[in-house]
Amino acid sequence: MKAKLLSVAVVLAALALAPSALADSGGAGGFQAGAQSASTGQAALGAAVSNQNAVNANVPVSVAGGNVASGPSSATQAATSSATTDVSNKAKTDQDQNLRQNIGGSGCYAGCGGAGGFQAGIQNANTSQLAAGLASSHQNAVNANVPVSIAGGNVNSGPSSATQNASSSATTDVSNKAKTDQDQHLSQNIGGSTCRLGCGGAGGFQAGIQDAQTEQLAVGVAKSDQNAVNANVPVSVAGGNIYSGPSSATQNATSTATTDVSNKAKTDQDQHLSQNIGGGSCLAGCGGAGGFQLGVQKASTEQAAIGIAKSDQNAVNANVPVSIAGGNIYSGPSSATQNATSTATTDVSNKAKTDQDQSLRQNIGGGSCLAGCGGAGGFQVGVQKAETNQWALGIAASNQNAVNANAPTAVAGGNVSSGPSSATQNATSTATTDVSNKAKTDQDQSLHQNIGGGSCLAGCGGPGGFQLGAQFAETNQWAAGAAFSNQNAVNSNTPNATAGGNIYSGPSSATQRATSSADTDVSNRAKTDQNQWQHQQLPIWKI
């Protein structure tokens, strides 16, 4: 023990003879403050109205005292009414902040003043949306393919085909797809140089605060009204015979209303705090090192949404070839594909995703101290809060009055020879409402602290360490969903033949489907993950 004290005295005497430039240095102080604020506000009102009164007519007329020989007849008729409103928010906000501080990096041998450092990083991002979207499509469509042949003699008609489409759609999008990214990095190195005698205490402070808030209040209404008539009615009247070619009709009537007022906003918050205080070696009379870190994150996503989708359809798909003859009727194959579809879809769900990552790391007094060392103290606080609220009302109504008719009629004074007859008829009414909550919240927090990790032989102060990690995640959902599907469907395949002679009818097949479905989803599929790691190492002091 005496030998060690003698060696310390020799070192003190040597340092006392050092140049004055290396002694009595004043303390260094550093301050950094970074503040960011980003605000995106949207107030939008969009209205789209499409009114259509369309008549597509293909009506070739032939009147002859003799014979009528007609070539092929084809009609492609499309009536489309569309109204689209987009008042959605797709804004993207990026906030990146990097603060780096190095204090006391020079060499000081004796009488060094204390170094102090302060860092504060504050970020605020706010995205607000108030939107009302209205889309309305009204369609009164008539697609008619009516070739008429009147002859005193014979009628020879070529093939007849008709493709008739009536489509009415209304779409409203007032959803929030805004994305907010917040990245913050704070790094601090205080007192990293070598100090031999009378070193002042080093102090460090870091504070990182992030706040991200996304709010949405949206009203979306989509309405599609359709009164559609798709008619394929070839008429042949002859005093003699009628020879008709094949007849085919493809008839589609579609009414669609879609409303999207969902919240798909994504919020990412990343925060990294790193602090190294008093990392150098101190031989005698060292002051105490102190460190403080504070990381706070808050993310809030709120949604109040009302979505209404209504589809009204009155559809008539008719394939009615008529043949009247004083003689015989020879009809080719007849096929009809008839689809009537009414769909109403409302999406006011919450698919927002919130990620919060926080890492705090602190190393205080990691060097070696031989005598008279001051106490090291460390403090860490990590707080995270994520809140997701949803209030949603979704209504979807699909009303359908559909008539799919395949009724070829043949009236003859002689014989009737009809080819095969096939009909595929579908009437579908669908109403779907989704007001579910699929929000996902991830919270990851890591606290690591190493205080006084070196060896101390005499007069060492006691180390103190404190860690606190708090996480709060709350998901609230209030949802009401109603889906109505009203269907009055008639699928009719009624070939009619009247003859003074014989009737030779080919095969007749009909595939008829009437479907009405209403689905409502108000489930809560929100997922919340909370992970927290705390690690603390306090040394065992040696004397």
Side-chain angles (χ1 to χ4, degrees):
M1 179 63 68
K2 291 182 179 181
K4 291 184 178 180
L5 292 177
L6 181 60
S7 63
V8 171
V10 174
V11 174
L12 293 177
L15 292 176
L17 299 177
S20 60
L22 299 179
D24 296 329
S25 300
F31 174 82
Q32 282 185 329
Q36 289 178 324
S37 177
S39 178
T40 302
Q42 183 189 30
L45 175 63
V49 179
S50 175
N51 296 320
Q52 185 188 56
N53 190 352
V55 177
N56 292 321
N58 181 38
V59 190
V61 177
S62 300
V63 180
N67 298 324
V68 175
S70 62
S73 174
S74 65
T76 301
Q77 299 167 326
T80 303
S81 175
S82 176
T84 303
T85 301
D86 184 2
V87 291
S88 61
N89 184 16
K90 303 179 181 72
K92 182 178 179 181
T93 302
D94 289 326
Q95 287 182 325
D96 298 309
Q97 192 176 68
N98 292 284
L99 301 182
R100 183 174 180 86
Q101 198 171 45
N102 190 341
I103 300 176
S106 62
C108 177
Y109 287 96
C112 304
F118 173 81
Q119 282 184 328
I122 300 173
Q123 288 178 326
N124 179 66
N126 186 28
T127 302
S128 301
Q129 181 189 29
L130 176 63
L134 173 66
S136 179
S137 176
H138 300 284
Q139 185 188 57
N140 190 354
V142 177
N143 291 322
N145 181 39
V146 189
V148 178
S149 299
I150 301 175
N154 299 324
V155 174
N156 299 304
S157 63
S160 174
S161 65
T163 301
Q164 299 166 325
N165 295 306
S167 177
S168 174
S169 64
T171 303
T172 299
D173 183 4
V174 291
S175 61
N176 184 18
K177 302 179 182 73
K179 182 178 179 181
T180 302
D181 290 327
Q182 288 181 326
D183 298 308
Q184 192 176 67
H185 302 277
L186 303 181
S187 178
Q188 198 172 45
N189 188 343
I190 300 176
S193 63
T194 300
C195 179
R196 301 294 176 85
L197 296 173
C199 304
F205 174 81
Q206 283 184 326
I209 299 174
Q210 289 178 325
D211 177 75
Q213 188 172 359
T214 302
E215 298 177 353
Q216 181 191 29
L217 176 62
V219 178
V221 179
K223 192 172 188 293
S224 176
D225 295 322
Q226 185 188 55
N227 189 355
V229 177
N230 291 322
N232 182 39
V233 189
V235 178
S236 299
V237 179
N241 299 323
I242 295 177
Y243 305 93
S244 63
S247 175
S248 65
T250 301
Q251 299 166 326
N252 295 306
T254 304
S255 175
T256 303
T258 303
T259 300
D260 183 5
V261 291
S262 62
N263 185 17
K264 303 178 183 73
K266 182 178 179 182
T267 302
D268 289 328
Q269 288 181 325
D270 298 309
Q271 192 177 67
H272 303 279
L273 303 181
S274 177
Q275 198 171 44
N276 189 343
I277 301 176
S281 61
C282 178
L283 299 182
C286 304
F292 175 81
Q293 282 184 327
L294 173 65
V296 179
Q297 288 178 325
K298 180 184 178 182
S300 178
T301 302
E302 298 178 355
Q303 181 191 29
I306 299 176
I308 299 174
K310 192 171 188 292
S311 175
D312 294 324
Q313 185 188 57
N314 189 356
V316 177
N317 291 322
N319 182 39
V320 189
V322 178
S323 300
I324 301 175
N328 299 322
I329 296 177
Y330 305 94
S331 64
S334 174
S335 64
T337 301
Q338 299 166 326
N339 295 307
T341 304
S342 175
T343 303
T345 303
T346 300
D347 183 4
V348 291
S349 62
N350 184 17
K351 303 179 182 73
K353 182 179 180 182
T354 302
D355 289 328
Q356 288 181 325
D357 298 308
Q358 191 177 66
S359 176
L360 303 181
R361 182 177 180 86
Q362 198 171 44
N363 189 345
I364 300 176
S368 61
C369 179
L370 298 183
C373 304
F379 177 80
Q380 283 184 326
V381 175
V383 179
Q384 288 178 325
K385 180 182 181 181
E387 184 175 355
T388 302
N389 296 317
Q390 182 190 28
W391 185 96
L393 174 64
I395 299 175
S398 175
N399 298 320
Q400 185 188 56
N401 189 357
V403 177
N404 290 322
N406 182 40
T409 301
V411 179
N415 299 324
V416 176
S417 301
S418 62
S421 174
S422 65
T424 302
Q425 299 167 326
N426 295 309
T428 304
S429 175
T430 304
T432 304
T433 301
D434 183 4
V435 291
S436 62
N437 185 18
K438 302 179 183 74
K440 182 178 179 182
T441 301
D442 289 327
Q443 287 181 326
D444 297 310
Q445 192 177 67
S446 176
L447 303 181
H448 183 78
Q449 198 171 44
N450 188 346
I451 300 176
S455 61
C456 179
L457 299 181
C460 304
F466 177 81
Q467 283 184 326
L468 173 63
Q471 288 178 325
F472 176 80
E474 183 177 356
T475 302
N476 297 318
Q477 182 190 28
W478 187 97
F484 303 97
S485 177
N486 299 319
Q487 185 188 56
N488 188 358
V490 177
N491 290 322
S492 176
N493 181 38
T494 314
N496 185 20
T498 303
N502 298 320
I503 297 177
Y504 306 95
S505 62
S508 176
S509 65
T511 302
Q512 299 168 325
R513 294 186 177 91
T515 304
S516 175
S517 63
D519 297 321
T520 300
D521 184 2
V522 292
S523 61
N524 184 12
R525 298 184 186 90
K527 182 179 180 182
T528 301
D529 291 328
Q530 287 182 326
N531 298 313
Q532 191 178 71
W533 295 274
Q534 296 193 16
H535 182 268
Q536 195 173 46
Q537 181 177 350
L538 301 178
I540 300 176
W541 297 92
K542 301 177 183 179
I543 297 177

